[in-house]
Amino acid sequence: MFHDRARIHVQAGRGGDGALSFRREKFVPKGGPDGGDGGPGGDVVLVADPDLRDLSSFRMKQRFKAGKGGAGGGSSRHGASGETVELRVPVGTQVLDEDEQLVADLAAPGARLAAARGGAGGRGNRRFATPTRQTPRFAETGLSGEEATLQLRLKLLADAALVGLPNAGKSSLLSRISNAKPKVAEYPFTTLQPVLGTVESDERQLVVADVPGLIEGASEGVGLGHEFLAHLERARLLVHMIDAAAGDPAEAFEAINQELEAYGAGLAERPQVVVLNKIDLLPEPPTFETDDPRVVRVFALSAATGEGVEAFRRALFELCPPAEAPKQDDEGLADYLAYRPKPDPRRRFRILRTDRGFRVAGRASSDEELEQALREAGAKVGDEVEVEGEALEFT
Ligand SMILES: Nc1nc2c(ncn2[C@@H]2O[C@H](COP(=O)(O)OP(=O)(O)OP(=O)(O)O)[C@@H](O)[C@H]2O)c(=O)[nH]1
Ligand SMILES: [Mg+2]
């Protein structure tokens, strides 16, 4: 089976607590505060791995938890950072949140997404010492890590994808031009899951996808089509295969195009190469006239005898110019494809108590929201509120 969907729950680690500690030295009656900070919690990170084919690794396990940060200690010792958990996903995995919003598209090998970020460690009491407060008897607790339920959807990345009615000879052609060995048989729906093949030239490689055959109604879920139409979305070129020995090629051409249009997602506008297959069965070369602007070339060949296949293979490289490598930002996210996670309203900021008042960790979206949260936490006019390192008075 080919698993192109998974649902996972990710939980980042909690930050370690800050320490409450005072120096104890011989002959020094009252040592100063020396409680160190807690370590940050570990993240849960998704990494696009070119060696993975599908999402089947998530069938057995769906819940992932990163490590807790260690507590701070005396003598200003920092707590250890929590262990990060890395989950490998195939290249082309899209990550969606519970509202079906796209969070990230891991379309480049090595692309990473911090799916849940670890909580910050609490500050030790050493950090709260001031000239007027020399013995702070408090420290912060660590913050909890982010948590999310995510949907993973694999959409294959291919330079070109074969489309056509069942039995047109798509798998036969792919096995001729690439390293893939898909099953070929004389009955429809032989191919039950997408297959990727690599086509080689002296200086380049192309990835060609073979997806299950489409029939009328595929876009509405008839046959196997709908499930797999998603895998055509990211092919730059569609190779439209037609069995030229089975009736009027124009009819088969029309039937498939209607399904592409009904599916949407830009498939109806994608450039197409028409391949008229099985010419070995025809006494005369087939004719196919079209003024469809999407059709960039028409080939006649036989996947069975190999006639015309080499010319097609060579032309594929011209028709699929090298793709620009996705740009990556510092975090390794492909920037044109990376969407920032929508902040979880419950976890965007937190209010912590200090001995003088309150501290705001994170950022509220508006002053009103912050004020309301502070009031709920018990803040009174005149209390000190520390926001982003600045001490303010609550008014
Ligand atoms: N005579 C002849 N037969 C062919 C040719 N190409 C494919 N076939 C035969 O047509 C049948 C279907 O071929 P497949 O490659 O499995 O077709 P497909 O488009 O992948 O079919 P599905 O996976 O079912 O969608 C098989 O029996 C092939 O041997 C050809 O050029 N000439
Ligand atoms: Mg097939």
Side-chain angles (χ1 to χ4, degrees):
M1 269 295 283
F2 178 81
H3 294 279
D4 54 6
R5 281 165 185 246
R7 203 179 145 86
I8 59 169
H9 184 84
V10 288
Q11 167 139 42
R14 186 182 182 85
D17 294 341
L20 176 55
S21 164
F22 294 94
R23 256 195 307 278
R24 279 176 215 291
E25 291 167 48
K26 268 186 211 166
F27 317 118
V28 181
K30 257 169 114 189
D34 71 350
D37 301 343
D43 299 338
V44 179
V45 178
L46 303 182
V47 186
D49 182 340
D51 293 332
L52 288 183
R53 216 179 117 258
D54 70 2
L55 293 164
S56 54
S57 59
F58 295 102
R59 253 163 33 95
M60 305 307 279
K61 188 175 175 193
Q62 296 87 31
R63 299 184 77 82
F64 301 92
K65 213 169 163 176
K68 279 198 295 238
S75 314
S76 303
R77 261 180 299 114
H78 275 284
S81 300
E83 205 171 318
T84 289
V85 168
E86 277 195 7
L87 305 178
R88 298 182 313 134
V89 298
V91 176
T93 299
Q94 296 189 330
V95 185
L96 291 88
D97 65 14
E98 280 181 293
D99 304 327
E100 306 254 315
Q101 294 294 308
L102 191 60
V103 171
D105 189 352
L106 302 175
R112 298 167 73 85
L113 168 75
R117 285 176 201 271
R123 294 184 294 181
N125 68 333
R126 176 180 68 106
R127 303 256 237 131
F128 296 98
T130 60
T132 55
R133 180 175 63 202
Q134 291 180 9
T135 53
R137 297 188 181 284
F138 63 93
E140 286 172 344
T141 55
L143 299 186
S144 43
E146 288 174 347
E147 199 179 330
T149 298
L150 301 170
Q151 294 185 56
L152 306 182
R153 282 190 204 157
L154 173 60
K155 286 188 181 171
L156 293 178
L157 290 162
D159 297 291
L162 295 157
V163 282
L165 294 170
N167 256 336
K170 301 179 291 297
S171 302
S172 305
L173 183 61
L174 188 69
S175 63
R176 278 245 172 220
I177 62 171
S178 80
N179 62 341
K181 294 281 160 269
K183 190 174 164 189
V184 169
E186 69 278 15
Y187 50 84
F189 295 119
T190 308
T191 302
L192 297 174
Q193 55 195 45
V195 177
L196 290 181
T198 309
V199 186
E200 306 267 351
S201 76
D202 289 343
E203 63 268 20
R204 271 172 70 206
Q205 288 189 330
L206 290 179
V207 176
V208 176
D210 176 20
V211 299
L214 301 177
I215 52 175
E216 199 181 327
S219 55
E220 286 138 38
V222 182
L224 299 168
H226 192 74
E227 287 280 309
F228 296 106
L229 279 163
H231 294 294
L232 301 176
E233 282 177 34
R234 311 218 270 198
R236 291 188 285 149
L237 178 74
L238 300 180
V239 177
H240 192 148
M241 285 221 57
I242 297 172
D243 180 347
D248 183 2
E251 255 172 53
F253 180 68
E254 229 5 83
I256 294 294
N257 285 339
Q258 266 169 26
E259 296 310 318
L260 297 179
E261 199 157 312
Y263 178 78
L267 289 188
E269 292 82 50
R270 205 60 50 87
Q272 291 188 12
V273 165
V274 172
V275 171
L276 303 167
N277 188 31
K278 309 199 186 182
I279 55 168
D280 56 296
L281 299 177
L282 299 173
E284 307 260 317
T287 52
F288 180 80
E289 300 277 323
T290 181
D291 51 8
D292 193 316
R294 289 171 294 189
V295 177
V296 289
R297 288 278 284 278
V298 179
F299 295 86
L301 54 80
S302 167
T305 67
E307 187 186 349
V309 170
E310 183 49 27
F312 166 75
R313 198 189 63 81
R314 263 185 277 118
L316 259 190
F317 286 92
E318 274 164 48
L319 296 165
C320 297
E324 268 174 51
K327 278 183 281 169
Q328 302 240 320
D329 67 14
D330 295 343
E331 287 176 77
L333 286 171
D335 60 3
Y336 72 102
L337 292 166
Y339 300 80
R340 276 287 146 208
K342 219 174 45 179
D344 179 342
R346 288 161 309 187
R347 286 172 203 277
R348 238 183 5 244
F349 69 99
R350 271 197 147 206
I351 300 199
L352 303 158
R353 279 206 87 101
T354 67
D355 67 334
R356 293 184 173 201
F358 299 85
R359 183 159 83 90
V360 181
R363 194 179 297 212
S365 60
S366 68
D367 288 354
E368 291 73 44
E369 186 184 35
L370 179 58
E371 230 178 272
Q372 159 110 17
L374 280 165
R375 234 178 281 117
E376 280 168 16
K380 305 237 163 34
V381 173
D383 284 346
E384 185 186 291
V385 178
E386 202 188 310
V387 186
E388 289 174 39
E390 221 180 311
L392 309 170
E393 200 181 287
F394 189 59
T395 48

